[in-house]
Amino acid sequence: DPAVVDSGIEVNGSLSGPGGRPRSTTMRFSAGMYRIILDIFPLQATSSDTYTCAVAVEPTPRSVYVQGSKSHSNLDITMGRRQPFILFSNRRLIQMADLNGGGQQVVVNNSGMISILNAVDVDFDARKDYLFWSDVMRQQVMRARIDGSEVMTVIDSGLSVPDGIAYDWVNEKLYLTDAEQHKIEVVDLGGSGDRRILLKTGNQSFPRAIVLDPTTRWMYWTDWGTPAKIEKASLDGLNRTVIHSTDLTWPNALTIDYENQDLYWADAMLDKLETSKVDGSIRRLLLDRSILHPFSITFFE
């Protein structure tokens, strides 16, 4: 029973299939397979709160398909039995809850050594149980364990508006957008620590949300620039291609269905939710003017 998240969610859950790709047959409940987009605002949000989220699903202690800020599968992970959960930011807190909005608890708050000033995006590494978030007021990217321990700064300089982050669970690299500096960067978290600019997107561009598909080696991002658009490039920054550049104003949120190779995005000015294939074909309107300023979405299968 398809549904779509209104504001601030991102993650997925299913067992990894051949070649590390997620299997669509994994997540079965009493009602069968379903896709869902969850509304985060009922979680005691106020009109001034900004949310972004991630959902993690761990049905059994096997390899699981867990999505962080962007839906993704983590390969060859042994996890304990846990119920599906959502990770989301509320500016100064990183919180988690179950898929119905219950069991809400704070994961990271401002009482530690590193304060959160305005967290706008989150992602999750299920292999090592790390969550990542970008803070646009600190102009940094942070990391912590899912239990709130080991809070540390991953990127502490050289950023202006790090709106979007996405973790490559295969190669242990973190990708991020910076709207003010018109760029997409990548940082190697697998040991070398190398950091480099992948793309200078142009002075009229304002890259925002970003998602990755390491199994096909493509990244996708939204752009608030002139014109507003959705683009893709290979994970090395090559083969840059515009997917959509019409009927967009503030494409604010982006997620991907890996199994079916579908993109979903939400426009914060037009208050629309749309979808298409990753090549831009079969574009469809899902919701029109029924959501207010959608900030972040995720795909859960």
Side-chain angles (χ1 to χ4, degrees):
D1 182 20
V4 182
V5 174
D6 177 299
S7 166
I9 280 193
E10 304 188 19
V11 149
N12 209 330
S14 70
L15 298 180
S16 55
R21 295 187 60 81
R23 288 204 310 249
S24 61
T25 57
T26 301
M27 295 304 296
R28 288 192 178 276
F29 297 87
S30 58
M33 289 295 299
Y34 68 96
R35 301 174 183 176
I36 186 169
I37 291 185
L38 303 173
D39 186 351
I40 293 304
F41 285 111
L43 299 180
Q44 300 177 354
T46 66
S47 60
S48 63
D49 287 330
T50 301
Y51 283 85
T52 191
C53 304
V55 180
V57 178
E58 302 157 25
T60 57
R62 316 174 191 173
S63 288
V64 293
Y65 176 58
V66 180
Q67 164 161 338
S69 254
K70 309 298 172 272
S71 304
H72 57 68
S73 60
N74 287 267
L75 311 181
D76 301 321
I77 308 164
T78 300
M79 304 291 290
R81 181 180 297 273
R82 279 194 270 190
Q83 294 298 314
F85 63 93
I86 309 163
L87 291 172
F88 61 98
S89 66
N90 177 9
R91 292 196 175 178
R92 291 183 172 85
L93 298 174
I94 308 295
Q95 297 176 269
M96 66 190 304
D98 62 37
L99 297 189
N100 295 316
Q104 185 176 349
Q105 60 182 289
V106 174
V107 179
V108 183
N109 58 30
N110 283 319
S111 63
M113 296 178 61
I114 299 177
S115 61
I116 302 174
L117 300 181
N118 192 356
V120 296
D121 203 1
V122 294
D123 208 344
F124 185 62
D125 173 10
R127 185 191 303 268
K128 297 181 178 178
D129 260 5
Y130 279 122
L131 65 93
F132 301 90
W133 68 93
S134 60
D135 190 316
V136 294
M137 289 190 68
R138 294 180 63 93
Q139 300 177 316
Q140 295 176 339
V141 176
M142 322 297 290
R143 182 179 77 179
R145 295 283 188 183
I146 193 63
D147 62 3
S149 65
E150 299 183 29
V151 179
M152 64 172 292
T153 304
V154 176
I155 303 175
D156 63 0
S157 63
L159 300 178
S160 297
V161 185
D163 272 331
I165 59 173
Y167 183 68
D168 173 354
W169 64 93
V170 174
N171 301 295
E172 297 186 76
K173 294 181 179 180
L174 187 70
Y175 290 70
L176 63 100
T177 64
D178 189 318
E180 186 170 306
Q181 296 190 32
H182 319 289
K183 67 181 180 181
I184 297 175
E185 284 195 22
V186 61
V187 182
D188 188 343
L189 301 179
S192 73
D194 290 342
R195 175 185 172 188
R196 62 191 177 96
I197 298 175
L198 274 184
L199 282 173
K200 292 293 288 185
T201 54
N203 291 336
Q204 298 302 310
S205 72
F206 300 96
R208 196 193 179 287
I210 183 170
V211 294
L212 311 175
D213 187 351
T215 61
T216 60
R217 297 198 56 77
W218 286 101
M219 61 179 175
Y220 307 85
W221 70 95
T222 65
D223 192 318
W224 281 29
T226 306
K229 50 191 175 291
I230 297 172
E231 297 187 72
K232 71 175 183 178
S234 53
L235 291 183
D236 57 7
L238 303 177
N239 305 306
R240 182 177 176 182
T241 305
V242 175
I243 300 174
H244 296 294
S245 60
T246 60
D247 298 319
L248 297 169
T249 305
W250 291 351
N252 210 25
L254 185 67
T255 192
I256 186 171
D257 171 0
Y258 296 100
E259 182 71 12
N260 296 305
Q261 290 292 281
D262 293 324
L263 289 176
Y264 295 84
W265 67 92
D267 193 301
M269 172 61 77
L270 302 178
D271 296 333
K272 290 182 178 181
L273 177 69
E274 295 187 79
T275 183
S276 77
K277 293 297 182 181
V278 294
D279 64 2
S281 63
I282 317 179
R283 182 174 178 175
R284 294 183 296 123
L285 177 65
L286 300 180
L287 292 176
D288 186 10
R289 302 293 178 180
S290 60
I291 49 177
L292 298 177
H293 198 90
F295 189 81
S296 179
I297 60 175
T298 196
F299 182 85
F300 173 76
E301 184 175 9

